[in-house]
Amino acid sequence: MDKSVPVTLPEGFVEFYEDVESWQNELFFRLKKKTDSKKVDAIPLLKREDRPLLEFLDFEVDLTDYREAFLSFAQLLKDKREKASLFVDRIMDIKDELDYGELLMRALENDKKYFSGLENETGVPASIMTMISQHAVRPFLRVFALPYEQSIREDESLGWGKGVCPVCGAMPSISRVRATDGRRFLFCEECFTEWEHRYLACVYCGNSEPSTIKYFVVDGDDANQVFVCEKCKGYLKNYDERRGKARTDLFITNIKTIYLDLLAEQRGYGRRETDFN
Ligand SMILES: [Zn+2]
Ligand SMILES: [Zn+2]
């Protein structure tokens, strides 16, 4: 048990991400309607290729749709985060000069060099341009993931079982332990895929020695846990549905528990960055 008091999140922080999620859901449902997503069993494909689907299947995005998503996310940022507003105005000034195909590719690759070069050219901070480009691609990734969703969620024999997202290759941002059977699922916030993982295994190094994997919680809240690995010093937050509300929104839970990330870092644990590799 930890006696530290959780840090207070900046005002409007959680609300902003709730708005982001609503924005994303709305676009996702719109894109989904336009797409024929017949169910496909992803497991044989994943076993054969041994890499995330995005690396070997076509990811087709209509660039007009992506441009629209990019600009509407930029607008949301302007409306909800005052600090970003000036930069969004700048983006709107140059919106016809931006190469949306390039932005999409670089967002997927999380190409920091590209975005810092763009910052020099445009004056828009790389963090803002990256954020918009990456959030704008998420609804498309969710549609891409759709045909495979069920087979991946029901991959009981852990045909994939790795620590990276089987669809897009990102690192999970959080996991949950299912109330009904105590099984653990990792969650990818890029494409909203959930896949099963061994309960006591590190997502970064695969270590599964019980004595070197443990979790800590903050006093009074046993549902929000931080799994840590003593071998590689990695950590991942976990929501245990057996100890809290059954079925939670993991995207928002991840945001609401930023104080656990700070605590984990203070104790010397780290997370590998999301890099789609
Ligand atoms: Zn993913
Ligand atoms: Zn580890």
Side-chain angles (χ1 to χ4, degrees), residues 201-202 204-205 207-216 226-235 264 267-269:
C202 173
Y204 304 107
C205 73
N207 169 34
S208 59
E209 274 172 34
S211 59
T212 53
I213 306 243
K214 44 193 173 188
Y215 72 81
F216 70 81
V226 182
F227 276 65
V228 298
C229 168
E230 292 306 340
K231 277 220 166 134
C232 73
K233 290 286 174 185
Y235 81 90
R267 295 174 179 205
Y269 300 103

mmCIF file with all atom_site columns, all heavy atoms in Angstrom, residues 201-202 204-205 207-216 226-235 264 267-269:
data_model
loop_
_atom_site.group_PDB
_atom_site.id
_atom_site.type_symbol
_atom_site.label_atom_id
_atom_site.label_alt_id
_atom_site.label_comp_id
_atom_site.label_asym_id
_atom_site.label_entity_id
_atom_site.label_seq_id
_atom_site.pdbx_PDB_ins_code
_atom_site.Cartn_x
_atom_site.Cartn_y
_atom_site.Cartn_z
_atom_site.occupancy
_atom_site.B_iso_or_equiv
_atom_site.pdbx_formal_charge
_atom_site.auth_seq_id
_atom_site.auth_comp_id
_atom_site.auth_asym_id
_atom_site.auth_atom_id
_atom_site.pdbx_PDB_model_num
ATOM 1   N N   . ALA A 1 201 ? 2.991  -11.678 -16.554 1.00 0.00 ? 201 ALA A N   1
ATOM 2   C CA  . ALA A 1 201 ? 4.146  -11.649 -17.453 1.00 0.00 ? 201 ALA A CA  1
ATOM 3   C C   . ALA A 1 201 ? 4.360  -10.210 -17.874 1.00 0.00 ? 201 ALA A C   1
ATOM 4   O O   . ALA A 1 201 ? 3.418  -9.456  -18.074 1.00 0.00 ? 201 ALA A O   1
ATOM 5   C CB  . ALA A 1 201 ? 3.901  -12.529 -18.666 1.00 0.00 ? 201 ALA A CB  1
ATOM 6   N N   . CYS A 1 202 ? 5.626  -9.845  -17.981 1.00 0.00 ? 202 CYS A N   1
ATOM 7   C CA  . CYS A 1 202 ? 5.960  -8.475  -18.347 1.00 0.00 ? 202 CYS A CA  1
ATOM 8   C C   . CYS A 1 202 ? 5.735  -8.284  -19.845 1.00 0.00 ? 202 CYS A C   1
ATOM 9   O O   . CYS A 1 202 ? 6.192  -9.089  -20.653 1.00 0.00 ? 202 CYS A O   1
ATOM 10  C CB  . CYS A 1 202 ? 7.414  -8.207  -17.985 1.00 0.00 ? 202 CYS A CB  1
ATOM 11  S SG  . CYS A 1 202 ? 8.006  -6.622  -18.580 1.00 0.00 ? 202 CYS A SG  1
ATOM 12  N N   . TYR A 1 204 ? 7.009  -6.076  -21.668 1.00 0.00 ? 204 TYR A N   1
ATOM 13  C CA  . TYR A 1 204 ? 8.201  -5.563  -22.351 1.00 0.00 ? 204 TYR A CA  1
ATOM 14  C C   . TYR A 1 204 ? 9.245  -6.645  -22.585 1.00 0.00 ? 204 TYR A C   1
ATOM 15  O O   . TYR A 1 204 ? 9.777  -6.774  -23.681 1.00 0.00 ? 204 TYR A O   1
ATOM 16  C CB  . TYR A 1 204 ? 8.829  -4.417  -21.539 1.00 0.00 ? 204 TYR A CB  1
ATOM 17  C CG  . TYR A 1 204 ? 7.854  -3.307  -21.265 1.00 0.00 ? 204 TYR A CG  1
ATOM 18  C CD1 . TYR A 1 204 ? 7.321  -3.123  -19.993 1.00 0.00 ? 204 TYR A CD1 1
ATOM 19  C CD2 . TYR A 1 204 ? 7.433  -2.464  -22.294 1.00 0.00 ? 204 TYR A CD2 1
ATOM 20  C CE1 . TYR A 1 204 ? 6.403  -2.109  -19.745 1.00 0.00 ? 204 TYR A CE1 1
ATOM 21  C CE2 . TYR A 1 204 ? 6.524  -1.452  -22.050 1.00 0.00 ? 204 TYR A CE2 1
ATOM 22  C CZ  . TYR A 1 204 ? 6.009  -1.285  -20.777 1.00 0.00 ? 204 TYR A CZ  1
ATOM 23  O OH  . TYR A 1 204 ? 5.105  -0.299  -20.534 1.00 0.00 ? 204 TYR A OH  1
ATOM 24  N N   . CYS A 1 205 ? 9.553  -7.421  -21.513 1.00 0.00 ? 205 CYS A N   1
ATOM 25  C CA  . CYS A 1 205 ? 10.664 -8.375  -21.653 1.00 0.00 ? 205 CYS A CA  1
ATOM 26  C C   . CYS A 1 205 ? 10.204 -9.824  -21.579 1.00 0.00 ? 205 CYS A C   1
ATOM 27  O O   . CYS A 1 205 ? 11.016 -10.735 -21.736 1.00 0.00 ? 205 CYS A O   1
ATOM 28  C CB  . CYS A 1 205 ? 11.738 -8.087  -20.605 1.00 0.00 ? 205 CYS A CB  1
ATOM 29  S SG  . CYS A 1 205 ? 11.265 -8.576  -18.932 1.00 0.00 ? 205 CYS A SG  1
ATOM 30  N N   . ASN A 1 207 ? 9.392  -11.523 -19.084 1.00 0.00 ? 207 ASN A N   1
ATOM 31  C CA  . ASN A 1 207 ? 9.685  -12.154 -17.796 1.00 0.00 ? 207 ASN A CA  1
ATOM 32  C C   . ASN A 1 207 ? 8.405  -12.613 -17.101 1.00 0.00 ? 207 ASN A C   1
ATOM 33  O O   . ASN A 1 207 ? 7.435  -11.867 -17.025 1.00 0.00 ? 207 ASN A O   1
ATOM 34  C CB  . ASN A 1 207 ? 10.428 -11.129 -16.924 1.00 0.00 ? 207 ASN A CB  1
ATOM 35  C CG  . ASN A 1 207 ? 10.554 -11.556 -15.466 1.00 0.00 ? 207 ASN A CG  1
ATOM 36  O OD1 . ASN A 1 207 ? 10.692 -12.744 -15.174 1.00 0.00 ? 207 ASN A OD1 1
ATOM 37  N ND2 . ASN A 1 207 ? 10.508 -10.588 -14.568 1.00 0.00 ? 207 ASN A ND2 1
ATOM 38  N N   . SER A 1 208 ? 8.409  -13.855 -16.575 1.00 0.00 ? 208 SER A N   1
ATOM 39  C CA  . SER A 1 208 ? 7.203  -14.306 -15.883 1.00 0.00 ? 208 SER A CA  1
ATOM 40  C C   . SER A 1 208 ? 7.527  -14.985 -14.553 1.00 0.00 ? 208 SER A C   1
ATOM 41  O O   . SER A 1 208 ? 6.761  -15.795 -14.054 1.00 0.00 ? 208 SER A O   1
ATOM 42  C CB  . SER A 1 208 ? 6.403  -15.246 -16.790 1.00 0.00 ? 208 SER A CB  1
ATOM 43  O OG  . SER A 1 208 ? 7.207  -16.354 -17.141 1.00 0.00 ? 208 SER A OG  1
ATOM 44  N N   . GLU A 1 209 ? 8.693  -14.652 -14.002 1.00 0.00 ? 209 GLU A N   1
ATOM 45  C CA  . GLU A 1 209 ? 9.027  -15.187 -12.681 1.00 0.00 ? 209 GLU A CA  1
ATOM 46  C C   . GLU A 1 209 ? 8.205  -14.454 -11.637 1.00 0.00 ? 209 GLU A C   1
ATOM 47  O O   . GLU A 1 209 ? 8.352  -13.245 -11.467 1.00 0.00 ? 209 GLU A O   1
ATOM 48  C CB  . GLU A 1 209 ? 10.506 -14.908 -12.368 1.00 0.00 ? 209 GLU A CB  1
ATOM 49  C CG  . GLU A 1 209 ? 11.448 -15.945 -12.891 1.00 0.00 ? 209 GLU A CG  1
ATOM 50  C CD  . GLU A 1 209 ? 12.890 -15.486 -12.711 1.00 0.00 ? 209 GLU A CD  1
ATOM 51  O OE1 . GLU A 1 209 ? 13.187 -14.803 -11.705 1.00 0.00 ? 209 GLU A OE1 1
ATOM 52  O OE2 . GLU A 1 209 ? 13.701 -15.786 -13.608 1.00 0.00 ? 209 GLU A OE2 1
ATOM 53  N N   . PRO A 1 210 ? 7.358  -15.183 -10.915 1.00 0.00 ? 210 PRO A N   1
ATOM 54  C CA  . PRO A 1 210 ? 6.426  -14.521 -9.991  1.00 0.00 ? 210 PRO A CA  1
ATOM 55  C C   . PRO A 1 210 ? 7.105  -13.581 -8.995  1.00 0.00 ? 210 PRO A C   1
ATOM 56  O O   . PRO A 1 210 ? 6.569  -12.541 -8.659  1.00 0.00 ? 210 PRO A O   1
ATOM 57  C CB  . PRO A 1 210 ? 5.754  -15.685 -9.274  1.00 0.00 ? 210 PRO A CB  1
ATOM 58  C CG  . PRO A 1 210 ? 5.927  -16.853 -10.178 1.00 0.00 ? 210 PRO A CG  1
ATOM 59  C CD  . PRO A 1 210 ? 7.203  -16.636 -10.933 1.00 0.00 ? 210 PRO A CD  1
ATOM 60  N N   . SER A 1 211 ? 8.323  -13.934 -8.553  1.00 0.00 ? 211 SER A N   1
ATOM 61  C CA  . SER A 1 211 ? 8.942  -13.091 -7.527  1.00 0.00 ? 211 SER A CA  1
ATOM 62  C C   . SER A 1 211 ? 9.404  -11.745 -8.070  1.00 0.00 ? 211 SER A C   1
ATOM 63  O O   . SER A 1 211 ? 9.680  -10.822 -7.302  1.00 0.00 ? 211 SER A O   1
ATOM 64  C CB  . SER A 1 211 ? 10.135 -13.829 -6.919  1.00 0.00 ? 211 SER A CB  1
ATOM 65  O OG  . SER A 1 211 ? 11.052 -14.118 -7.962  1.00 0.00 ? 211 SER A OG  1
ATOM 66  N N   . THR A 1 212 ? 9.487  -11.615 -9.374  1.00 0.00 ? 212 THR A N   1
ATOM 67  C CA  . THR A 1 212 ? 9.997  -10.344 -9.918  1.00 0.00 ? 212 THR A CA  1
ATOM 68  C C   . THR A 1 212 ? 8.904  -9.536  -10.614 1.00 0.00 ? 212 THR A C   1
ATOM 69  O O   . THR A 1 212 ? 9.172  -8.490  -11.189 1.00 0.00 ? 212 THR A O   1
ATOM 70  C CB  . THR A 1 212 ? 11.143 -10.595 -10.923 1.00 0.00 ? 212 THR A CB  1
ATOM 71  O OG1 . THR A 1 212 ? 10.681 -11.533 -11.898 1.00 0.00 ? 212 THR A OG1 1
ATOM 72  C CG2 . THR A 1 212 ? 12.373 -11.132 -10.239 1.00 0.00 ? 212 THR A CG2 1
ATOM 73  N N   . ILE A 1 213 ? 7.676  -10.035 -10.567 1.00 0.00 ? 213 ILE A N   1
ATOM 74  C CA  . ILE A 1 213 ? 6.556  -9.266  -11.110 1.00 0.00 ? 213 ILE A CA  1
ATOM 75  C C   . ILE A 1 213 ? 5.592  -9.027  -9.960  1.00 0.00 ? 213 ILE A C   1
ATOM 76  O O   . ILE A 1 213 ? 5.171  -9.981  -9.297  1.00 0.00 ? 213 ILE A O   1
ATOM 77  C CB  . ILE A 1 213 ? 5.793  -10.057 -12.198 1.00 0.00 ? 213 ILE A CB  1
ATOM 78  C CG1 . ILE A 1 213 ? 6.764  -10.529 -13.266 1.00 0.00 ? 213 ILE A CG1 1
ATOM 79  C CG2 . ILE A 1 213 ? 4.640  -9.234  -12.752 1.00 0.00 ? 213 ILE A CG2 1
ATOM 80  C CD1 . ILE A 1 213 ? 6.540  -9.989  -14.628 1.00 0.00 ? 213 ILE A CD1 1
ATOM 81  N N   . LYS A 1 214 ? 5.277  -7.775  -9.720  1.00 0.00 ? 214 LYS A N   1
ATOM 82  C CA  . LYS A 1 214 ? 4.315  -7.500  -8.656  1.00 0.00 ? 214 LYS A CA  1
ATOM 83  C C   . LYS A 1 214 ? 3.507  -6.270  -9.027  1.00 0.00 ? 214 LYS A C   1
ATOM 84  O O   . LYS A 1 214 ? 3.753  -5.652  -10.064 1.00 0.00 ? 214 LYS A O   1
ATOM 85  C CB  . LYS A 1 214 ? 5.015  -7.313  -7.321  1.00 0.00 ? 214 LYS A CB  1
ATOM 86  C CG  . LYS A 1 214 ? 6.252  -6.455  -7.404  1.00 0.00 ? 214 LYS A CG  1
ATOM 87  C CD  . LYS A 1 214 ? 7.066  -6.574  -6.124  1.00 0.00 ? 214 LYS A CD  1
ATOM 88  C CE  . LYS A 1 214 ? 8.381  -5.845  -6.264  1.00 0.00 ? 214 LYS A CE  1
ATOM 89  N NZ  . LYS A 1 214 ? 9.316  -6.021  -5.210  1.00 0.00 ? 214 LYS A NZ  1
ATOM 90  N N   . TYR A 1 215 ? 2.587  -5.913  -8.179  1.00 0.00 ? 215 TYR A N   1
ATOM 91  C CA  . TYR A 1 215 ? 1.880  -4.664  -8.450  1.00 0.00 ? 215 TYR A CA  1
ATOM 92  C C   . TYR A 1 215 ? 1.727  -3.846  -7.186  1.00 0.00 ? 215 TYR A C   1
ATOM 93  O O   . TYR A 1 215 ? 1.782  -4.376  -6.085  1.00 0.00 ? 215 TYR A O   1
ATOM 94  C CB  . TYR A 1 215 ? 0.540  -4.909  -9.137  1.00 0.00 ? 215 TYR A CB  1
ATOM 95  C CG  . TYR A 1 215 ? -0.554 -5.504  -8.271  1.00 0.00 ? 215 TYR A CG  1
ATOM 96  C CD1 . TYR A 1 215 ? -1.300 -4.684  -7.427  1.00 0.00 ? 215 TYR A CD1 1
ATOM 97  C CD2 . TYR A 1 215 ? -0.864 -6.850  -8.329  1.00 0.00 ? 215 TYR A CD2 1
ATOM 98  C CE1 . TYR A 1 215 ? -2.327 -5.220  -6.653  1.00 0.00 ? 215 TYR A CE1 1
ATOM 99  C CE2 . TYR A 1 215 ? -1.877 -7.394  -7.556  1.00 0.00 ? 215 TYR A CE2 1
ATOM 100 C CZ  . TYR A 1 215 ? -2.608 -6.572  -6.702  1.00 0.00 ? 215 TYR A CZ  1
ATOM 101 O OH  . TYR A 1 215 ? -3.605 -7.107  -5.937  1.00 0.00 ? 215 TYR A OH  1
ATOM 102 N N   . PHE A 1 216 ? 1.599  -2.538  -7.395  1.00 0.00 ? 216 PHE A N   1
ATOM 103 C CA  . PHE A 1 216 ? 1.276  -1.689  -6.246  1.00 0.00 ? 216 PHE A CA  1
ATOM 104 C C   . PHE A 1 216 ? 0.015  -0.903  -6.539  1.00 0.00 ? 216 PHE A C   1
ATOM 105 O O   . PHE A 1 216 ? -0.374 -0.744  -7.709  1.00 0.00 ? 216 PHE A O   1
ATOM 106 C CB  . PHE A 1 216 ? 2.455  -0.775  -5.860  1.00 0.00 ? 216 PHE A CB  1
ATOM 107 C CG  . PHE A 1 216 ? 2.774  0.328   -6.835  1.00 0.00 ? 216 PHE A CG  1
ATOM 108 C CD1 . PHE A 1 216 ? 2.050  1.528   -6.854  1.00 0.00 ? 216 PHE A CD1 1
ATOM 109 C CD2 . PHE A 1 216 ? 3.852  0.204   -7.730  1.00 0.00 ? 216 PHE A CD2 1
ATOM 110 C CE1 . PHE A 1 216 ? 2.364  2.558   -7.744  1.00 0.00 ? 216 PHE A CE1 1
ATOM 111 C CE2 . PHE A 1 216 ? 4.167  1.223   -8.625  1.00 0.00 ? 216 PHE A CE2 1
ATOM 112 C CZ  . PHE A 1 216 ? 3.426  2.398   -8.629  1.00 0.00 ? 216 PHE A CZ  1
ATOM 113 N N   . VAL A 1 226 ? -0.628 -0.959  -10.563 1.00 0.00 ? 226 VAL A N   1
ATOM 114 C CA  . VAL A 1 226 ? 0.521  -0.779  -11.451 1.00 0.00 ? 226 VAL A CA  1
ATOM 115 C C   . VAL A 1 226 ? 1.370  -2.044  -11.383 1.00 0.00 ? 226 VAL A C   1
ATOM 116 O O   . VAL A 1 226 ? 1.935  -2.365  -10.342 1.00 0.00 ? 226 VAL A O   1
ATOM 117 C CB  . VAL A 1 226 ? 1.381  0.435   -11.038 1.00 0.00 ? 226 VAL A CB  1
ATOM 118 C CG1 . VAL A 1 226 ? 2.537  0.615   -12.016 1.00 0.00 ? 226 VAL A CG1 1
ATOM 119 C CG2 . VAL A 1 226 ? 0.549  1.703   -10.979 1.00 0.00 ? 226 VAL A CG2 1
ATOM 120 N N   . PHE A 1 227 ? 1.399  -2.792  -12.476 1.00 0.00 ? 227 PHE A N   1
ATOM 121 C CA  . PHE A 1 227 ? 2.238  -3.983  -12.546 1.00 0.00 ? 227 PHE A CA  1
ATOM 122 C C   . PHE A 1 227 ? 3.658  -3.548  -12.872 1.00 0.00 ? 227 PHE A C   1
ATOM 123 O O   . PHE A 1 227 ? 3.875  -2.782  -13.816 1.00 0.00 ? 227 PHE A O   1
ATOM 124 C CB  . PHE A 1 227 ? 1.753  -4.915  -13.665 1.00 0.00 ? 227 PHE A CB  1
ATOM 125 C CG  . PHE A 1 227 ? 0.630  -5.823  -13.250 1.00 0.00 ? 227 PHE A CG  1
ATOM 126 C CD1 . PHE A 1 227 ? -0.610 -5.303  -12.904 1.00 0.00 ? 227 PHE A CD1 1
ATOM 127 C CD2 . PHE A 1 227 ? 0.796  -7.203  -13.207 1.00 0.00 ? 227 PHE A CD2 1
ATOM 128 C CE1 . PHE A 1 227 ? -1.664 -6.135  -12.526 1.00 0.00 ? 227 PHE A CE1 1
ATOM 129 C CE2 . PHE A 1 227 ? -0.243 -8.041  -12.832 1.00 0.00 ? 227 PHE A CE2 1
ATOM 130 C CZ  . PHE A 1 227 ? -1.472 -7.511  -12.485 1.00 0.00 ? 227 PHE A CZ  1
ATOM 131 N N   . VAL A 1 228 ? 4.619  -4.017  -12.089 1.00 0.00 ? 228 VAL A N   1
ATOM 132 C CA  . VAL A 1 228 ? 6.010  -3.655  -12.363 1.00 0.00 ? 228 VAL A CA  1
ATOM 133 C C   . VAL A 1 228 ? 6.861  -4.912  -12.519 1.00 0.00 ? 228 VAL A C   1
ATOM 134 O O   . VAL A 1 228 ? 6.543  -5.951  -11.942 1.00 0.00 ? 228 VAL A O   1
ATOM 135 C CB  . VAL A 1 228 ? 6.605  -2.751  -11.247 1.00 0.00 ? 228 VAL A CB  1
ATOM 136 C CG1 . VAL A 1 228 ? 5.844  -1.448  -11.142 1.00 0.00 ? 228 VAL A CG1 1
ATOM 137 C CG2 . VAL A 1 228 ? 6.621  -3.467  -9.907  1.00 0.00 ? 228 VAL A CG2 1
ATOM 138 N N   . CYS A 1 229 ? 7.904  -4.779  -13.329 1.00 0.00 ? 229 CYS A N   1
ATOM 139 C CA  . CYS A 1 229 ? 8.807  -5.904  -13.567 1.00 0.00 ? 229 CYS A CA  1
ATOM 140 C C   . CYS A 1 229 ? 10.182 -5.520  -13.043 1.00 0.00 ? 229 CYS A C   1
ATOM 141 O O   . CYS A 1 229 ? 10.751 -4.512  -13.454 1.00 0.00 ? 229 CYS A O   1
ATOM 142 C CB  . CYS A 1 229 ? 8.875  -6.191  -15.068 1.00 0.00 ? 229 CYS A CB  1
ATOM 143 S SG  . CYS A 1 229 ? 10.201 -7.320  -15.534 1.00 0.00 ? 229 CYS A SG  1
ATOM 144 N N   . GLU A 1 230 ? 10.705 -6.308  -12.119 1.00 0.00 ? 230 GLU A N   1
ATOM 145 C CA  . GLU A 1 230 ? 12.014 -5.988  -11.529 1.00 0.00 ? 230 GLU A CA  1
ATOM 146 C C   . GLU A 1 230 ? 13.155 -6.312  -12.491 1.00 0.00 ? 230 GLU A C   1
ATOM 147 O O   . GLU A 1 230 ? 14.266 -5.851  -12.300 1.00 0.00 ? 230 GLU A O   1
ATOM 148 C CB  . GLU A 1 230 ? 12.217 -6.720  -10.202 1.00 0.00 ? 230 GLU A CB  1
ATOM 149 C CG  . GLU A 1 230 ? 11.291 -6.238  -9.080  1.00 0.00 ? 230 GLU A CG  1
ATOM 150 C CD  . GLU A 1 230 ? 11.353 -4.734  -8.837  1.00 0.00 ? 230 GLU A CD  1
ATOM 151 O OE1 . GLU A 1 230 ? 12.351 -4.088  -9.233  1.00 0.00 ? 230 GLU A OE1 1
ATOM 152 O OE2 . GLU A 1 230 ? 10.384 -4.188  -8.278  1.00 0.00 ? 230 GLU A OE2 1
ATOM 153 N N   . LYS A 1 231 ? 12.872 -7.113  -13.484 1.00 0.00 ? 231 LYS A N   1
ATOM 154 C CA  . LYS A 1 231 ? 13.956 -7.479  -14.417 1.00 0.00 ? 231 LYS A CA  1
ATOM 155 C C   . LYS A 1 231 ? 14.295 -6.335  -15.360 1.00 0.00 ? 231 LYS A C   1
ATOM 156 O O   . LYS A 1 231 ? 15.453 -6.011  -15.561 1.00 0.00 ? 231 LYS A O   1
ATOM 157 C CB  . LYS A 1 231 ? 13.545 -8.712  -15.219 1.00 0.00 ? 231 LYS A CB  1
ATOM 158 C CG  . LYS A 1 231 ? 13.807 -9.986  -14.460 1.00 0.00 ? 231 LYS A CG  1
ATOM 159 C CD  . LYS A 1 231 ? 14.357 -11.080 -15.382 1.00 0.00 ? 231 LYS A CD  1
ATOM 160 C CE  . LYS A 1 231 ? 14.921 -12.208 -14.549 1.00 0.00 ? 231 LYS A CE  1
ATOM 161 N NZ  . LYS A 1 231 ? 14.499 -13.524 -15.035 1.00 0.00 ? 231 LYS A NZ  1
ATOM 162 N N   . CYS A 1 232 ? 13.247 -5.738  -15.985 1.00 0.00 ? 232 CYS A N   1
ATOM 163 C CA  . CYS A 1 232 ? 13.545 -4.689  -16.963 1.00 0.00 ? 232 CYS A CA  1
ATOM 164 C C   . CYS A 1 232 ? 13.108 -3.312  -16.479 1.00 0.00 ? 232 CYS A C   1
ATOM 165 O O   . CYS A 1 232 ? 13.255 -2.321  -17.192 1.00 0.00 ? 232 CYS A O   1
ATOM 166 C CB  . CYS A 1 232 ? 12.892 -5.004  -18.308 1.00 0.00 ? 232 CYS A CB  1
ATOM 167 S SG  . CYS A 1 232 ? 11.101 -4.792  -18.315 1.00 0.00 ? 232 CYS A SG  1
ATOM 168 N N   . LYS A 1 233 ? 12.535 -3.279  -15.267 1.00 0.00 ? 233 LYS A N   1
ATOM 169 C CA  . LYS A 1 233 ? 12.065 -2.011  -14.682 1.00 0.00 ? 233 LYS A CA  1
ATOM 170 C C   . LYS A 1 233 ? 10.946 -1.360  -15.510 1.00 0.00 ? 233 LYS A C   1
ATOM 171 O O   . LYS A 1 233 ? 10.813 -0.137  -15.560 1.00 0.00 ? 233 LYS A O   1
ATOM 172 C CB  . LYS A 1 233 ? 13.237 -1.031  -14.495 1.00 0.00 ? 233 LYS A CB  1
ATOM 173 C CG  . LYS A 1 233 ? 14.189 -1.459  -13.398 1.00 0.00 ? 233 LYS A CG  1
ATOM 174 C CD  . LYS A 1 233 ? 13.550 -1.203  -12.045 1.00 0.00 ? 233 LYS A CD  1
ATOM 175 C CE  . LYS A 1 233 ? 14.374 -1.727  -10.884 1.00 0.00 ? 233 LYS A CE  1
ATOM 176 N NZ  . LYS A 1 233 ? 13.691 -1.584  -9.599  1.00 0.00 ? 233 LYS A NZ  1
ATOM 177 N N   . GLY A 1 234 ? 10.184 -2.191  -16.203 1.00 0.00 ? 234 GLY A N   1
ATOM 178 C CA  . GLY A 1 234 ? 9.044  -1.676  -16.956 1.00 0.00 ? 234 GLY A CA  1
ATOM 179 C C   . GLY A 1 234 ? 7.786  -1.716  -16.093 1.00 0.00 ? 234 GLY A C   1
ATOM 180 O O   . GLY A 1 234 ? 7.717  -2.463  -15.117 1.00 0.00 ? 234 GLY A O   1
ATOM 181 N N   . TYR A 1 235 ? 6.800  -0.923  -16.444 1.00 0.00 ? 235 TYR A N   1
ATOM 182 C CA  . TYR A 1 235 ? 5.529  -0.980  -15.716 1.00 0.00 ? 235 TYR A CA  1
ATOM 183 C C   . TYR A 1 235 ? 4.370  -0.824  -16.683 1.00 0.00 ? 235 TYR A C   1
ATOM 184 O O   . TYR A 1 235 ? 4.518  -0.269  -17.775 1.00 0.00 ? 235 TYR A O   1
ATOM 185 C CB  . TYR A 1 235 ? 5.449  0.108   -14.633 1.00 0.00 ? 235 TYR A CB  1
ATOM 186 C CG  . TYR A 1 235 ? 5.055  1.474   -15.159 1.00 0.00 ? 235 TYR A CG  1
ATOM 187 C CD1 . TYR A 1 235 ? 3.710  1.858   -15.228 1.00 0.00 ? 235 TYR A CD1 1
ATOM 188 C CD2 . TYR A 1 235 ? 6.017  2.374   -15.614 1.00 0.00 ? 235 TYR A CD2 1
ATOM 189 C CE1 . TYR A 1 235 ? 3.341  3.098   -15.729 1.00 0.00 ? 235 TYR A CE1 1
ATOM 190 C CE2 . TYR A 1 235 ? 5.655  3.608   -16.117 1.00 0.00 ? 235 TYR A CE2 1
ATOM 191 C CZ  . TYR A 1 235 ? 4.318  3.972   -16.174 1.00 0.00 ? 235 TYR A CZ  1
ATOM 192 O OH  . TYR A 1 235 ? 3.952  5.192   -16.675 1.00 0.00 ? 235 TYR A OH  1
ATOM 193 N N   . ALA A 1 264 ? 4.943  5.558   -10.597 1.00 0.00 ? 264 ALA A N   1
ATOM 194 C CA  . ALA A 1 264 ? 5.786  4.499   -11.145 1.00 0.00 ? 264 ALA A CA  1
ATOM 195 C C   . ALA A 1 264 ? 7.142  5.076   -11.554 1.00 0.00 ? 264 ALA A C   1
ATOM 196 O O   . ALA A 1 264 ? 8.198  4.495   -11.274 1.00 0.00 ? 264 ALA A O   1
ATOM 197 C CB  . ALA A 1 264 ? 5.102  3.845   -12.344 1.00 0.00 ? 264 ALA A CB  1
ATOM 198 N N   . ARG A 1 267 ? 9.413  5.824   -8.749  1.00 0.00 ? 267 ARG A N   1
ATOM 199 C CA  . ARG A 1 267 ? 10.020 4.617   -8.178  1.00 0.00 ? 267 ARG A CA  1
ATOM 200 C C   . ARG A 1 267 ? 10.997 3.946   -9.134  1.00 0.00 ? 267 ARG A C   1
ATOM 201 O O   . ARG A 1 267 ? 11.453 2.838   -8.876  1.00 0.00 ? 267 ARG A O   1
ATOM 202 C CB  . ARG A 1 267 ? 8.921  3.628   -7.825  1.00 0.00 ? 267 ARG A CB  1
ATOM 203 C CG  . ARG A 1 267 ? 8.033  4.141   -6.725  1.00 0.00 ? 267 ARG A CG  1
ATOM 204 C CD  . ARG A 1 267 ? 6.867  3.212   -6.509  1.00 0.00 ? 267 ARG A CD  1
ATOM 205 N NE  . ARG A 1 267 ? 6.045  3.703   -5.431  1.00 0.00 ? 267 ARG A NE  1
ATOM 206 C CZ  . ARG A 1 267 ? 5.256  2.931   -4.698  1.00 0.00 ? 267 ARG A CZ  1
ATOM 207 N NH1 . ARG A 1 267 ? 5.186  1.640   -4.937  1.00 0.00 ? 267 ARG A NH1 1
ATOM 208 N NH2 . ARG A 1 267 ? 4.525  3.464   -3.737  1.00 0.00 ? 267 ARG A NH2 1
ATOM 209 N N   . GLY A 1 268 ? 11.266 4.609   -10.232 1.00 0.00 ? 268 GLY A N   1
ATOM 210 C CA  . GLY A 1 268 ? 12.304 4.104   -11.133 1.00 0.00 ? 268 GLY A CA  1
ATOM 211 C C   . GLY A 1 268 ? 11.834 3.156   -12.222 1.00 0.00 ? 268 GLY A C   1
ATOM 212 O O   . GLY A 1 268 ? 12.640 2.497   -12.860 1.00 0.00 ? 268 GLY A O   1
ATOM 213 N N   . TYR A 1 269 ? 10.522 3.099   -12.433 1.00 0.00 ? 269 TYR A N   1
ATOM 214 C CA  . TYR A 1 269 ? 10.013 2.242   -13.515 1.00 0.00 ? 269 TYR A CA  1
ATOM 215 C C   . TYR A 1 269 ? 9.688  3.100   -14.734 1.00 0.00 ? 269 TYR A C   1
ATOM 216 O O   . TYR A 1 269 ? 9.416  4.291   -14.619 1.00 0.00 ? 269 TYR A O   1
ATOM 217 C CB  . TYR A 1 269 ? 8.756  1.496   -13.056 1.00 0.00 ? 269 TYR A CB  1
ATOM 218 C CG  . TYR A 1 269 ? 9.009  0.618   -11.856 1.00 0.00 ? 269 TYR A CG  1
ATOM 219 C CD1 . TYR A 1 269 ? 8.608  1.016   -10.579 1.00 0.00 ? 269 TYR A CD1 1
ATOM 220 C CD2 . TYR A 1 269 ? 9.691  -0.586  -11.998 1.00 0.00 ? 269 TYR A CD2 1
ATOM 221 C CE1 . TYR A 1 269 ? 8.868  0.225   -9.476  1.00 0.00 ? 269 TYR A CE1 1
ATOM 222 C CE2 . TYR A 1 269 ? 9.962  -1.389  -10.900 1.00 0.00 ? 269 TYR A CE2 1
ATOM 223 C CZ  . TYR A 1 269 ? 9.535  -0.980  -9.633  1.00 0.00 ? 269 TYR A CZ  1
ATOM 224 O OH  . TYR A 1 269 ? 9.804  -1.759  -8.543  1.00 0.00 ? 269 TYR A OH  1
#
